Amino acid sequence: MLPIGTVHVDLPGSYALARRLGMDAAHAVIGFEFPRCRAVPVTSGVVVVGEEHGETLRAAWQEHSQNQAAKVEEKRQKRIWDNWKMLIKGLLIKERIIARYDMGGEEGGEKGKKGKGKKKGGSGHVHVFPARSRRKDKVTGQMVQKCSCGLVVPVESCEEEL
C-alpha cells in the first residue's frame, strides 16, 4: 500500500541513485520475515514522491546501467590488451636472454662433458653447470642443467642422464 502521490520503483541500486540525484526517497518495505522470533522488514526498491520523479529515476537508472555495462566491457578490453602486452614482452625477454647467453653453444663451452661446464655471459659472469645440477624438467620433460645464478639451460647431449 502506497501513500497517495508516491511511486514504487523496484530497480537494483535505485536508492543510491535517487540520493545522488537529490530526490526524496525511502526504502520500500514489501513485507516482514520472522527469523528467530523477530520481525525483520524486507525491502525492495524505493518509494519516491511524484510520478515525474519515478520516470526520471527509471530513465537515470537505464542510463546508469548502460554506463556500467560500457565500463565493464572497457575493463575487459583493457585486460585483454594487457595480457597480450605481457605475452609479447615475455617473448621479447626470452629472445633477448637466448641472444645474450648464446644458447646455441657456439662459444666453446664444455656443456656436453661431465663435471664442470663453463659458459661466459655478457656481464662477465661465468656460468658453472656441475654434473649434479642436471635433472629432467617437469614441464617439458627434457634434460636441463642449472647454474648457481639460477640460469636453466637444456642439455645438448641427452646420452649422459643421471
Side-chain angles (χ1 to χ4, degrees):
M1 190 116 165
L2 288 172
I4 298 173
T6 60
V7 179
H8 179 226
V9 180
D10 190 13
L11 298 170
S14 56
Y15 182 75
L17 189 59
R19 284 294 180 198
R20 204 173 331 153
L21 294 173
M23 294 181 183
D24 190 21
H27 291 284
V29 177
I30 59 169
F32 290 91
E33 289 181 350
F34 298 95
R36 299 182 187 166
C37 299
R38 294 184 319 172
V40 177
V42 176
T43 60
S44 176
V46 295
V47 175
V48 292
V49 178
E51 183 67 33
E52 65 279 351
H53 286 298
E55 294 302 319
T56 305
L57 185 58
R58 284 187 185 98
W61 184 84
Q62 190 76 14
E63 182 181 334
H64 178 71
S65 64
Q66 289 173 353
N67 289 345
Q68 286 298 104
K71 282 182 183 178
V72 167
E73 181 60 26
E74 183 180 322
K75 190 174 182 180
R76 183 179 156 274
Q77 288 293 328
K78 183 182 181 319
R79 186 171 162 209
I80 289 170
W81 282 109
D82 288 345
N83 286 345
W84 274 107
K85 282 185 206 175
M86 194 166 46
L87 174 70
I88 291 171
K89 283 181 182 179
L91 291 174
L92 291 173
I93 289 170
K94 179 182 174 187
E95 289 296 319
R96 210 171 30 223
I97 288 174
I98 289 172
R100 182 175 182 184
Y101 292 107
D102 190 30
M103 297 296 191
E106 298 172 2
E107 287 191 13
E110 302 174 5
K111 287 170 36 174
K113 297 181 180 177
K114 273 197 168 188
K116 294 186 177 182
K118 295 184 179 182
K119 186 166 193 178
K120 203 166 206 170
S123 64
H125 172 71
V126 177
H127 295 289
V128 178
F129 302 101
R132 68 178 184 275
S133 72
R134 295 181 186 200
R135 60 181 168 78
K136 193 170 191 174
D137 189 24
K138 294 177 184 174
V139 178
T140 62
Q142 76 181 116
M143 292 298 291
V144 295
Q145 53 191 1
K146 185 176 181 181
C147 179
S148 62
C149 70
L151 177 69
V152 177
V153 294
V155 176
E156 298 211 355
S157 63
C158 293
E159 294 84 34
E160 300 176 21
E161 294 183 5
L162 294 176

